[in-house]
Amino acid sequence: MRPEILFPLFAEIDSLPGIGPRLKPLLARLLGGEHIVDLLWHLPSGLIDRRFSPPLDETIDGSIVTLDVWVERHDAPPNRRRPYRVICKTQSGPLVLAFFNARGKYLNEVLPIGEKRIVSGKIDHYRGEYQITHPDRIGTEAERDEIQTVEPVYPMSAGVTGKTLTKATRAALATVPDLPEWHDPALQARHKWPDLKTALHQAHNPESDADLSPDHPARKRLAYDELLANQLALALIRAKMRTLGGRVTQGDGRLRKALEAQLPFAMTGAQQRALNDIYADMGSNGRMLRLLQGDVGSGKTLVALMAMLNAIETGRQAALMAPTEILARQHFETISPLLEKIGVTCAVLTGRDKGKNRKATLEGFASGEFQIAVGTHALFQEDVQFRDLAFAVVDEQHRFGVHQRLMLAGKGQAVDVLVMTATPIPRTLTLTAFGDMEVSKLDEKPPGRKPVDTRVLPADKVDEVISGIGRAMRTGTKIYWVCPLVEDSEILDLQAAEERHRILVDLFGEAHVGLIHGKMKAKEKDAVMERFAHGDLSVLVATTVIEVGVNVPEATIMVIEHAERFGLAQLHQLRGRIGRGDAASTCLLLYGSPLGEISKARLKIMRETEDGFVIAEEDLRLRGAGEVLGTRQSGLQAYRLANLELHGDLLAIARDDARLIVELDPDLQKPRGDALRLLLYLFERDEAVRYFRSG
Ligand code: ADP
Ligand code: MG
């Protein structure tokens, strides 16, 4: 239950003056919420300074001035195209106020002849006259203090005027209660942060550009409030998961030893380190939730396999979940021969399995006949039961949501979860998405990888590229040809790929050129992949479906059309499909002209490095967080007050702060804990509060 002291802030916006049923939905859309807090989090992006009253001959055209005027005469226009003119006198000369489509009656009311008024607006020179067209403000001497101020300018949208926002926000500010301080006094003093109420007032009443800066103490405080609320919520949930009935899973090592004996190579130091982290988590009685980050080809599968064997050694089961059918099947094909050699049973379950087959697989999971389950999200449907699931690996996490992760974890008794991702999420973004979720990194690639030679070419060189691949085909090389998403439309997307496929078939023959795309049935996709991996196909034209696709070591050339339309992370993933064998590999990035500066810089990064983390950091720098990981795709919370590019330093502080809070006061029972609860409610992170109350 939301604490009473916050009730005024969670009142609906239409309880404010000037906001009625018509405006409410428009405003709610702009703000992203319909409560007074949403209005408070909507900070000004600029200001209009109405404090200046220079003599007319010192004004600068286009600047905002506030002047005392004495109304002399009204000139109604002869036709609608001419403005209605109100001729005034000022202390420094005559001034014309001009109005198009004006109503004379109204103007006579607000600017009566012979009276003094205060007007404010943008001044211009026009045909030797000083003129203000449509003054923003007109009032009497008594209203001067309201007019001659600095006005905030808010980000706006259709149907909501600045005046409305300013007025509503003024009223909203008046409802802000005095809240107890939740920040550490030393931290607050060091940063000179005002209290929340003062911070809100300052942020909404900027007096100069410096007040609008993200570095202003008021803005920083608000950003930190938001970051801390988020980090604290994650830390609380995390701490709860840790204490929530975990089990000790510690095998005797017999299966792992047997597997290692089968491998033609030794594990890399990074793999070993990651496994040590994972074994330690599994061996503790808390619940594990760890992220394994490793670039494409860094050997995550083996890490997952070893960790699963640790669970199997104790007589329990393990599951490996992949985001797509192809990937699930490929995992199964990679690991089942290895498992067979060491006497471990394994079955695959995807949405494609139906009827008897599916029933048998489900029975095998339920009886424990199958020790390892591999599959897609089909693994966590209601009717899937395990005898004793202890460990789950979720591969390529960015395709799943947090919700699904938790669903899977609910399948067993205290299932330990390892999330694997090849998306090199920049450090700052990992923090936002996972809080202090433990992270192991595979920062060392298996030996013997050849670097990929990446080249960037304009699209009009495509004929040369085609003759090049013709030569390569004759030496047995396999080639990926990737066509991009066209304007987010799967249909157009497909047309582009089909067109390219047709052209290449005309040149090289049907038998050598295949096509794979997202609209195909899983069986058809598998068949084409199979022909590419082991059969007669030399060229595989693909839409981005191969993004997390398969392992074909003979594939050493990749052509990517309209590379500028891809995200860098995506390009990196695609490129990771080549350079897996012994031969040198080449990646050709074709771009459509003209290429903008940012696109140019992005493709240059691809040419210069194969380090996924460097690529991700650069991409973040060039494009901003929102685009690198879209909210929908990644499950990231979009921030309203904090800006990760500008407040990145605060994020790390918030994480440490949250960690310490949870350590010292895990149930938020101490006085600061009470205040922190308010913070969680204020930023609507109530789910965290619910977590520790019930648990
Ligand atoms: P990821 O899933 O991280 O993209 P994979 O697990 O598919 O990478 O591994 C890529 C390739 O590297 C596989 O063919 C795998 O057998 C091989 N590999 C994994 N670990 C090692 C190692 N320590 N030494 C040599 N090769 C390895
Ligand atoms: Mg893999």
Side-chain angles (χ1 to χ4, degrees):
M1 282 283 281
R2 179 181 295 139
E4 229 173 290
I5 191 168
L6 296 180
F7 284 2
L9 296 179
F10 284 89
E12 308 265 315
I13 35 178
D14 54 354
S15 64
L16 294 168
I19 306 208
R22 192 189 59 80
L23 212 50
K24 185 181 176 186
L26 294 173
L27 192 52
R29 185 150 2 110
L30 171 69
L31 303 173
E34 53 187 26
H35 299 123
I36 285 181
V37 271
D38 300 307
L39 198 57
L40 294 172
W41 301 156
H42 191 68
L43 299 184
S45 52
L47 54 81
I48 296 175
D49 193 341
R50 299 194 186 280
R51 288 175 300 187
F52 299 108
S53 307
L56 286 176
D57 59 2
E58 288 176 24
T59 57
I60 298 164
D61 274 5
S63 65
I64 300 282
V65 296
T66 300
L67 300 171
D68 296 11
V69 304
W70 287 264
V71 181
E72 297 200 306
R73 191 174 90 230
H74 281 230
D75 278 357
N79 59 49
R80 308 272 301 164
R81 268 168 291 136
R82 299 283 199 80
Y84 187 110
R85 290 157 53 91
V86 179
I87 317 300
C88 304
K89 200 173 69 179
T90 75
Q91 276 152 340
S92 53
L95 174 73
V96 175
L97 307 177
F99 300 86
F100 288 89
N101 300 319
R103 283 186 299 128
K105 182 165 175 285
Y106 166 76
L107 289 176
N108 272 294
E109 275 164 28
V110 295
L111 293 163
I113 292 168
E115 299 274 323
K116 178 188 177 188
R117 286 292 180 267
I118 315 295
V119 301
S120 182
K122 195 187 282 178
I123 191 152
D124 271 307
H125 243 103
Y126 186 71
R127 294 196 180 156
E129 287 176 342
Y130 289 101
Q131 176 170 310
I132 296 179
T133 306
H134 294 281
D136 304 323
R137 300 279 183 274
I138 300 173
T140 62
E141 180 62 44
E143 291 164 315
R144 178 190 294 278
D145 287 352
E146 267 171 58
I147 296 171
Q148 197 154 25
T149 58
V150 184
E151 266 174 33
V153 175
Y154 291 97
M156 273 177 281
S157 65
V160 184
T161 67
K163 225 172 176 171
T164 309
L165 270 175
T166 306
K167 195 169 158 213
T169 307
R170 290 247 162 91
L173 282 169
T175 69
V176 179
D178 286 309
L179 297 174
E181 186 54 69
W182 40 75
H183 289 312
D184 172 46
L187 180 75
Q188 191 177 8
R190 188 160 70 248
H191 290 275
K192 303 196 168 59
W193 287 336
D195 62 77
L196 178 76
K197 192 171 176 173
T198 310
L200 281 168
H201 274 91
Q202 288 180 358
H204 283 284
N205 292 291
E207 301 213 336
S208 67
D209 287 342
D211 293 346
L212 294 165
S213 153
D215 283 334
H216 189 276
R219 292 224 171 198
K220 272 196 120 158
R221 181 208 156 108
L222 294 172
Y224 190 74
D225 283 331
E226 183 174 38
L227 292 171
L228 183 63
N230 188 54
Q231 289 298 309
L232 184 58
L234 288 167
L236 286 167
I237 292 173
R238 181 78 193 85
K240 204 77 227 171
M241 270 193 85
R242 237 184 243 132
T243 57
L244 219 84
R247 290 192 294 176
V248 173
T249 299
Q250 200 160 36
D252 57 11
R254 108 196 98 84
L255 294 172
R256 285 171 281 172
K257 249 189 225 119
L259 178 71
E260 273 197 89
Q262 297 286 336
L263 295 175
F265 48 73
M267 277 202 272
T268 65
Q271 283 171 319
Q272 202 55 67
R273 283 191 294 279
L275 278 171
N276 288 341
D277 294 343
I278 293 165
Y279 296 152
D281 287 352
M282 294 174 80
S284 83
N285 55 15
R287 198 181 292 195
M288 162 176 173
L289 181 58
R290 180 176 288 275
L291 181 70
L292 178 65
Q293 271 191 316
D295 218 339
V296 202
S298 58
K300 292 184 293 298
T301 315
L302 181 58
V303 173
L305 189 56
M306 293 289 279
M308 289 196 286
L309 291 179
N310 183 29
I312 309 301
E313 283 165 2
T314 67
R316 297 171 188 157
Q317 290 166 295
L320 170 57
M321 192 165 71
T324 65
E325 179 106 31
I326 291 186
L327 201 62
R329 303 245 164 225
Q330 195 198 342
H331 271 316
F332 180 72
E333 274 157 33
T334 313
I335 68 175
S336 56
L338 287 168
L339 292 174
E340 206 168 306
K341 283 187 198 153
I342 59 172
V344 173
T345 53
C346 177
V348 62
L349 182 76
T350 69
R352 205 206 298 174
D353 299 299
K354 300 259 152 59
K356 262 197 193 143
N357 210 346
R358 175 179 153 84
K359 195 158 167 267
T361 307
L362 290 187
E363 278 168 12
F365 291 156
S367 70
E369 178 197 340
F370 296 126
Q371 293 164 294
I372 291 183
V374 179
T376 55
H377 60 278
L379 278 183
F380 51 62
Q381 273 153 14
E382 290 288 317
D383 58 344
V384 182
Q385 304 284 330
F386 292 92
R387 189 175 61 77
D388 188 3
L389 184 69
F391 183 68
V393 184
V394 183
D395 191 14
E396 311 286 0
Q397 177 276 329
H398 60 290
R399 301 269 177 128
F400 293 105
V402 175
H403 176 66
Q404 281 154 313
R405 236 187 274 153
L406 293 176
M407 261 174 79
L408 182 80
K411 278 287 167 204
Q413 295 139 14
V415 175
D416 285 328
V417 177
L418 177 70
V419 177
M420 304 202 296
T421 177
T423 308
I425 306 172
R427 203 180 54 80
T428 44
L429 296 189
T430 318
L431 263 183
T432 9
F434 304 105
D436 73 341
M437 179 170 174
E438 272 87 2
V439 178
S440 297
K441 251 189 199 181
L442 294 182
D443 48 10
E444 180 186 342
K445 286 206 179 174
R449 284 282 148 78
K450 296 246 169 61
V452 176
D453 178 15
T454 300
R455 298 182 206 169
V456 179
L457 305 167
D460 53 24
K461 291 262 163 63
V462 70
D463 290 339
E464 289 167 45
V465 171
I466 289 176
S467 44
I469 67 171
R471 285 191 298 276
M473 276 169 70
R474 268 169 253 137
T475 67
T477 299
K478 306 241 169 194
I479 297 132
Y480 287 109
W481 189 298
V482 183
C483 296
L485 217 64
V486 181
E487 289 167 2
D488 271 339
S489 148
E490 260 189 66
I491 296 171
L492 292 179
D493 177 17
L494 183 54
Q495 279 171 4
E498 279 172 342
E499 172 72 9
R500 179 56 66 202
H501 177 243
R502 202 180 46 70
I503 292 171
L504 295 177
V505 164
D506 283 351
L507 286 167
F508 303 123
E510 190 111 43
H512 299 295
V513 184
L515 174 67
I516 187 167
H517 57 76
K519 283 265 149 88
M520 283 162 67
K521 295 223 170 66
K523 268 212 173 94
E524 298 167 342
K525 280 193 241 175
D526 290 357
V528 175
M529 276 319 306
E530 178 60 27
R531 277 177 65 203
F532 184 61
H534 306 294
D536 51 348
L537 289 182
S538 298
V539 183
L540 184 65
V541 178
T543 55
T544 49
V545 293
I546 60 156
E547 181 186 345
V548 287
V550 293
N551 203 8
V552 183
E554 297 79 28
T556 55
I557 296 179
M558 177 171 285
V559 180
I560 304 179
E561 285 195 73
H562 280 294
E564 79 280 2
R565 292 189 191 155
F566 290 90
L568 284 194
Q570 219 178 353
L571 286 177
H572 178 67
Q573 294 266 321
L574 287 168
R575 186 172 58 182
R577 301 295 120 202
I578 56 172
R580 299 193 150 214
D582 302 328
S585 294
T586 309
C587 179
L588 301 173
L589 302 177
L590 299 181
Y591 62 86
S593 306
L595 199 58
E597 281 308 310
I598 290 188
S599 303
K600 216 177 265 175
R602 294 173 67 236
L603 293 182
K604 183 159 167 270
I605 295 164
M606 291 304 297
R607 210 177 57 215
E608 286 172 351
T609 180
E610 277 187 71
D611 183 327
F613 287 96
V614 172
I615 289 172
E617 297 282 352
E618 283 295 300
D619 206 19
L620 177 65
R621 197 176 59 77
L622 289 172
R623 290 197 306 163
E627 297 209 29
V628 174
L629 292 176
T631 314
R632 199 176 36 135
Q633 177 190 12
S634 60
L636 287 187
Q637 297 271 0
Y639 288 114
R640 306 169 82 171
L641 298 167
N643 177 331
L644 288 184
E645 283 107 277
L646 305 169
H647 298 125
D649 53 330
L650 293 182
L651 185 58
I653 301 174
R655 181 218 29 209
D656 294 343
D657 203 353
R659 197 182 275 168
L660 198 65
I661 292 165
V662 173
E663 226 164 78
L664 296 177
D665 186 13
D667 289 311
L668 303 187
Q669 298 292 357
K670 301 188 175 160
R672 186 183 172 202
D674 277 337
L676 285 163
R677 268 166 211 250
L678 290 176
L679 174 68
L680 291 171
Y681 278 107
L682 191 59
F683 284 92
E684 298 172 76
R685 300 295 197 272
D686 325 12
E687 78 271 30
V689 182
R690 238 178 288 127
Y691 241 101
F692 59 69
R693 288 250 170 109
S694 59

